[in-house]
Structures are given as C-alpha cells and as structure tokens.
Amino acid sequence: MIITRSPLRISFAGGGTDLPAFYENNNFGCVVSTSIDKYVYVTLNHKFDGKLSVRYRKHEIAENVDELEHKLIQAILKSYGVQSGVEIVVASDVPARGSGLGASSSLTVALCMALEVFVGNAVTVLNDKKKLAEHAATIEIYRAQSIIGKQDQYASALGGFNFLKFVKHDV
C-alpha cells in the first residue's frame, strides 16, 4: 500500500497571473502563496480482481479508467498508463470541494507521487519537486482541461512560503 499526502495552500497575491493565457501573452505573472498544515491524502493499492476502485466523496467501481466519472483522476491514471487493477482512496483534512485552497492540485500532486512509486519512477520525479509540480500542472491543465493556473501545483509540490514567477515555457 502506498500512502501520500500533499498540502493545501493559501494564496496572498497574484491569482490569475499564473494562468498560461495570462503569462504567455504578457511579460510574466507572479504569485505569493504558502502551503498550510492541512492535506489531501491518497492511498493506492493493487486491486486483485483487476477492477478499478476510486473513493472520494463518491465510490466508483469501474472495469477500466475510461469508465470513471472523476475526470481528473481519470487523466492522472491515463498519464501513467494505469488502466485498471488499482484501488485509490482520497481523503482531506478539510472539505475540499470549493474550498479555494487548491484541493484539486493537492490531489493531483499526491496521486502523482503515489503513481510514481507504483510504476517505479519514484527516484525520477520525487527528487525534483519542480518537475513534480510541472508534471502535475501539465496533467491538470492540458490533459484534464481544467481552467486553472500553475500556482496550486507548485505550492503543493514545493511546500512552504513561495514567490513564484511564471514566464512563457518556464517558472
């Protein structure tokens, strides 16, 4: 069983300037944020019947990843080539939906960390927090097509107090 957690965040300034549409069309964008001592937790384990079980505020059981209702978890699993045969449980210290604390990105970072271990890539991404943040942002923004910026993934992956500057094709 793999257990990970990723912190939620509070943003102080710069929200919206972390959207690719903003910083790629302007000189830059920047945010000031900090992670907090509240987390999103993910447990991941092999599922021996070959199905896919995902528990969050709902419990989904599916034959394969394409049947999942949770589009973000679906996109994350697909990015790691996981089609079925896993059980995922998501929990949070606070009611995450609509909290404004970057919960979806904390989920993305925590599930990416768990999947890195699951597929055997842990040394690659987990030792480079910026790479983990960028990977999580790419999945959430481009694969899951969430209309969000990058500050949440970076705050969650890096932890602590951050000043982040976003420029075209870089952070």
Side-chain angles (χ1 to χ4, degrees):
M1 178 178 293
I2 301 163
I3 303 170
T4 60
R5 73 177 188 178
S6 185
L8 298 167
R9 65 96 185 113
I10 294 175
S11 181
F12 298 111
T17 68
D18 62 327
L19 293 162
F22 181 89
Y23 66 79
E24 288 184 2
N25 292 318
N26 295 283
N27 291 331
F28 66 92
C30 58
V31 297
V32 177
S33 66
T34 189
S35 59
I36 61 175
D37 65 348
K38 302 295 181 216
Y39 299 87
V40 171
Y41 301 86
V42 169
T43 62
L44 186 143
N45 202 10
H46 286 281
K47 186 150 176 42
F48 297 105
D49 65 4
K51 293 185 179 180
L52 188 58
S53 173
V54 179
R55 286 184 236 160
Y56 47 105
R57 62 183 165 75
K58 294 172 78 174
H59 184 190
E60 295 188 53
I61 299 174
E63 294 294 325
N64 65 62
V65 70
D66 291 320
E67 296 176 3
L68 288 179
E69 291 177 30
H70 198 296
K71 296 305 178 192
L72 179 56
I73 292 175
Q74 183 185 69
I76 298 165
L77 288 171
K78 282 183 172 185
S79 76
Y80 283 91
V82 176
Q83 294 294 314
S84 61
V86 295
E87 178 178 29
I88 298 167
V89 178
V90 179
S92 178
D93 285 333
V94 298
R97 190 172 183 164
S99 68
L101 300 174
S104 68
S105 298
S106 293
L107 165 61
T108 304
V109 170
L111 185 51
C112 283
M113 288 189 295
L115 286 163
E116 288 291 326
V117 173
F118 185 75
V119 301
N121 293 340
V123 175
T124 311
V125 172
L126 297 183
N127 289 333
D128 186 341
K129 291 179 180 181
K130 281 181 128 181
K131 190 173 184 179
L132 174 62
E134 191 59 35
H135 182 64
T138 297
I139 292 169
E140 199 167 356
I141 295 168
Y142 299 106
R143 289 183 179 239
Q145 298 184 339
S146 299
I147 303 170
I148 60 168
K150 292 183 173 184
Q151 70 164 310
D152 297 350
Q153 299 87 355
Y154 276 86
S156 190
L158 297 173
F161 185 81
N162 294 290
F163 171 82
L164 301 167
K165 184 174 181 180
F166 299 93
V167 296
K168 194 171 189 169
H169 306 299
D170 195 20
V171 174

